[in-house]
């Protein structure tokens, strides 16, 4: 993949989200995720052992935390930190335009304090 | 600062680059840098103990590595990995529009393999 975050974006909605690793180091992983209208399956919650810092680079999405009553609408530039094991799901992503996420996953217990 | 990478961007060139830490964890630091026409001082080279993964989110810049003959032009979406101690400098950033960088610094020797 070319070293541009907007390279090779889908021109039309695809069957599945794309996920590409941009950098990996023990305890650290940076990835690009490209959504084109996907959402988490009904009833599905992410529950990750690692912490995640995530940026919505372009497009739109709604991210729901289980411990919050409503989904958070995310616009280009919005970022947030997801604590390990905090259950969350993607309620929706824009159908008309690709949604590009940059996710930085890091294992809090593998990094020396 | 609001949790949006484009929040509070300067409307006009400023005297100095802005640098804000978005996440810090031992061995890991994510920051936003906003340039408005600045460049590294003449003869100055960054030489960082940590590795850096950097994304040019918006704007334009020219990044020079000492071990390369020419500066690399960077556009929105371009990202690159800078090895520890690899000397580099910012030759220029766009004067007309803010240049937003997202930098992920990580200490390779502080993360357990």
């Amino acid at each position: 993949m070319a070293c541009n975050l907007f390279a090779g974006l889908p021109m039309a909605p695809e069957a599945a989200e794309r996920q590409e690793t941009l950098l990996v180091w023990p305890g650290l992983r940076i990835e690009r995720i490209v959504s084109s209208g996907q959402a988490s399956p009904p009833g599905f919650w992410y529950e990750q052992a690692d912490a995640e810092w995530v940026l919505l680079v372009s497009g739109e999405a709604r991210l729901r935390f289980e411990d919050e009553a409503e989904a958070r609408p995310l616009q280009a530039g919005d970022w947030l930190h997801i604590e390990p094991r905090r259950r969350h799901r993607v309620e929706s992503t824009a159908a008309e335009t690709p949604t590009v996420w940059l996710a930085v996953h890091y294992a809090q217990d593998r990094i020396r304090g």
Side-chain angles (χ1 to χ4, degrees), chain A:
Chain A
M1 152 176 169
C3 291
N4 186 287
L5 215 59
F6 306 116
L9 294 184
M11 304 296 284
E14 298 187 315
E17 242 171 30
R18 289 193 207 171
Q19 198 166 332
E20 291 145 311
T21 298
L22 309 183
L23 175 79
V24 67
W25 187 262
L28 178 68
R29 191 174 81 256
I30 300 179
E31 61 183 26
R32 174 176 91 154
I33 301 156
V34 180
S35 316
S36 48
Q38 292 84 12
S40 302
F44 173 86
W45 296 92
Y46 290 100
E47 189 178 333
Q48 302 163 157
D50 289 352
E52 179 177 355
W53 184 93
V54 64
L55 166 68
L56 193 139
V57 184
S58 67
E60 286 183 10
R62 290 170 60 248
L63 185 94
R64 168 84 196 286
F65 287 102
E66 194 180 34
D67 59 16
E68 293 184 347
E70 298 196 352
R72 301 187 188 191
L74 300 179
Q75 309 283 338
D78 285 340
W79 59 268
L80 48 88
H81 187 257
I82 304 176
E83 297 292 333
R85 308 213 173 279
R86 188 175 182 193
R87 283 159 63 94
H88 61 284
R89 49 180 275 115
V90 177
E91 293 283 356
S92 64
T93 57
E96 319 75 42
T97 182
T99 295
V100 178
W101 311 77
L102 182 80
V104 180
H105 301 271
Y106 67 103
Q108 293 186 335
D109 56 349
R110 293 185 70 187
I111 303 186
R112 279 186 215 120

